[in-house]
Amino acid sequence: QVQLFESGGGLVQAGGSLRLSCAASGSTLSSYVVSWFRQAPGKEREFVAVISRSGGSTLNANSMKGRFTVSRDNAKNTVYLEMNSLKPEDTAVYFCAAGGYYGSRWSGDYNYWGQGTQVTVSS
């Protein structure tokens, strides 16, 4: 069973950048498709991006295309989310999740979740 730990969140001004990390323990992360989701206060959890086991394929939510990039380093057992040109509406808790299938944008498909990391974008 894999355990996930997000880090890298924080407070940033609009237009700024952050890189989130999702580190795994208990299992080899390369065995899993990994996705990022986010949840803003009072809103449903929203798909952000997914990366295949090898890292060779990625998908982004349309609203984040061109601004967010998901990548992974299987040697470090870590998945990353690079976020650029951040907007106040990107403010949310960001979660990484594993155990789903590539292409799935539904949180219910994922078995393993981290605790989340807060991203706050000020205007």
Side-chain angles (χ1 to χ4, degrees):
Q1 184 169 341
V2 65
Q3 295 168 325
L4 304 175
F5 303 91
E6 302 94 339
S7 62
L11 174 63
V12 64
Q13 288 189 328
S17 299
L18 282 174
R19 187 175 82 156
L20 306 183
S21 298
C22 172
S25 67
S27 185
T28 304
L29 196 57
S30 60
S31 299
Y32 298 92
V33 168
V34 176
S35 282
W36 287 93
F37 288 81
R38 69 184 185 183
Q39 189 164 18
K43 294 189 176 181
E44 292 187 353
R45 197 162 291 192
E46 176 186 22
F47 169 80
V48 174
V50 60
I51 188 165
S52 63
R53 291 177 181 83
S54 68
S57 299
T58 63
L59 288 172
N60 278 42
N62 287 340
S63 63
M64 298 151 220
K65 234 174 244 184
R67 298 192 300 125
F68 290 10
T69 303
V70 59
S71 62
R72 68 193 302 162
D73 185 341
N74 285 337
K76 295 184 177 179
N77 231 22
T78 303
V79 171
Y80 304 98
L81 183 68
E82 184 80 32
M83 305 186 295
N84 299 311
S85 302
L86 283 162
K87 305 173 183 180
E89 51 264 43
D90 293 319
T91 295
V93 178
Y94 284 72
F95 300 88
C96 62
Y101 62 89
Y102 181 74
S104 170
R105 301 177 183 226
W106 182 49
S107 61
D109 282 335
Y110 293 84
N111 299 319
Y112 307 106
W113 291 82
Q115 80 289 350
T117 185
Q118 175 71 47
V119 171
T120 303
V121 184
S122 63
S123 56

